[in-house]
Amino acid sequence: LKINSFIGSMNEDIDIVKKDEGFFNGIVISEIFKGVHYEIHVQTENRDFLIHTTDYHGVNEEVGLIFTPDDIHIMEKMEW
């Protein structure tokens, strides 16, 4: 039995802040306006995040990412 666990977070629980003001930094890879919010793809050294926010951040912008301990959810990866 192979069990894969990962740490995830809801898209809207991650806040984008100025570079060096978050827990870690990343680069905006893409941004799409979805009518009410932006869907922003941020690439960090170890992981990619897809973040929903009402704040605009442009492609190639260096940003910081921050969240609270309550925003982290440990989930088991389901295999189909």
Side-chain angles (χ1 to χ4, degrees):
L1 176 67
K2 182 179 178 185
I3 297 177
N4 295 316
S5 295
F6 66 96
I7 298 175
S9 180
M10 296 299 291
N11 304 20
E12 60 275 0
D13 291 339
I14 300 173
D15 291 322
I16 298 176
V17 295
K18 292 180 182 175
K19 181 183 174 189
D20 298 324
E21 290 185 4
F23 296 126
F24 39 85
N25 295 319
I27 298 174
V28 175
I29 301 300
S30 67
E31 56 82 12
I32 300 171
F33 185 64
K34 295 287 192 167
V36 177
H37 66 273
Y38 292 95
E39 187 174 88
I40 298 179
H41 176 189
V42 176
Q43 186 175 53
T44 66
E45 184 178 334
N46 297 312
R47 154 177 346 261
D48 288 12
F49 293 88
L50 194 59
I51 301 167
H52 292 174
T53 181
T54 55
D55 301 322
Y56 174 81
H57 296 277
V59 173
N60 294 323
E61 181 179 343
E62 292 185 72
V63 297
L65 300 179
I66 194 166
F67 46 86
T68 66
D70 290 338
D71 296 330
I72 299 171
H73 312 282
I74 308 295
M75 298 175 271
E76 182 178 328
K77 184 177 179 181
M78 297 183 68
E79 294 190 34
W80 298 90

